[in-house]
Amino acid sequence: MSIAVSIHEYSTIHSIVRGLLAYGSAELLNRVVRLLVVIVIARQLVPELVGVAALTLSLFELIRVLANIGVGQKIIATDSQALDQVCNSAYRVFWVWCAIVAGIQLIAAALLYNFFDNPVAAKMLAALSGVYLFMPGGLVQCFRLMRAKKLPTVAAIGTTQTIADHLITCVLILAWANPWALVLPKLLTAPLWLIMMRRAHAWKYNPAKGFAPLSSMLQFGSAILIADIWLALRNNLDKLIISALLGVSALGSYYFAFNAGIGIVGALAAAFGTVLYPHLCEAKSGGRQRATLGLAVILGFGIFGSLTLVQLLFAPIYVPIIFGAQWTHAIPLIQVLSTAAIPMMLGALLSAYLRASQRASLDAWIGSAICLSALGMMLVGAYSNLFLAATGWVVGTAAVIGAYLTISAIQYFTKREFYHE
């Protein structure tokens, strides 16, 4: 029995490491290409133009999170006997919901045009609503691949789309120094994602196999959607706060520093949670879940701690060489934002663990606390200067995650049952 358990745990660890390596290597390749694009942007566009594109993309990412209704998580977590019914229901939900989200984005674009006197950003936001026409056709396939632990395939598809996005951006911005060059590639690469996802998995919608009850699926996904909304607010409203209080030029500097300083670690943190979730769903016993989570935490501290140290020590050296002397003022921003690496990693792993443990509502509550803390402290700092605003975002994020993990550790070591739904 112990030998079987050891073999199973070894297999699980091997699968997690493979998934982490797949996402990590894919993200590294992605960021290398993105770095080249950032260099081109830094040398071709002034902060004001970058700020206009940043405003549009921030609103787009903020609205797009609504598409993550959480139904896809049900595909990963459901029993094999009900998989076909759940996939059929999820397919219908995805189409209806993406149409609703597209409508919301068009309304936001109209408001931006009519009431905020920003017609360029409004037109770009409206154009990006076309992305939702391509998402529903490949989402079921995506989550079925994740359920089957084919994470390298999912990572490869995402990276191919992102690299294509970056390369198109680079070509456009060299030929046409305009904010549209940063926005259009998001729309142009959406069909590529759909084609690759459907080729990677051959699932087809088949009503004859029945449907799962929508009420149970929506109940399962609602808490996940709420948690994802809080995460999106934290990762995008920061830029709106900077724009409102410090101006578009300051937003351009912050957007550059955020992408140069924490862009890669933010994506890697999300990848940790994505890789871990299917394994935690499969591990029914609490002991196995904690062992799996412990491995991810150890790996995370090694990777993210190293990345933080590199950013802190070498940002003053590589920023003027790679990006140009005009961005040296952003070095302190890059350094302070890089310190959010470990809290972001811990937050992603905690979220995956709570969702797999059927405590998505607790994940939503923690997400709300992190968001309000981070944005609240950023708002206070923004009344002084950009550096204090960035510091507030980092401190607010770390404070809630650190407090919760401290309480959880105390409860775990005293062997008390702390979680209740």
Side-chain angles (χ1 to χ4, degrees), residues 215-230:
S215 58
S216 62
M217 294 184 63
L218 295 178
Q219 183 178 5
F220 181 88
S222 60
I224 294 177
L225 174 60
I226 293 172
D228 286 345
I229 288 174
W230 283 116

Side-chain angles (χ1 to χ4, degrees), residues 190-214:
L192 176 64
W193 175 87
L194 176 60
I195 293 171
M196 290 189 296
M197 198 62 72
R198 292 177 70 90
R199 286 184 176 179
H201 191 82
W203 179 86
K204 291 184 178 181
Y205 175 68
N206 186 0
K209 293 186 177 181
F211 299 89
L214 286 178

Side-chain angles (χ1 to χ4, degrees), residues 252-286:
S253 297
Y254 178 81
Y255 186 75
F256 165 79
F258 196 95
N259 281 283
I262 204 172
I264 187 170
V265 295
L268 283 175
F272 266 93
T274 300
V275 169
L276 195 62
Y277 179 72
H279 294 279
L280 292 176
C281 288
E282 185 182 48
K284 301 298 183 183
S285 78

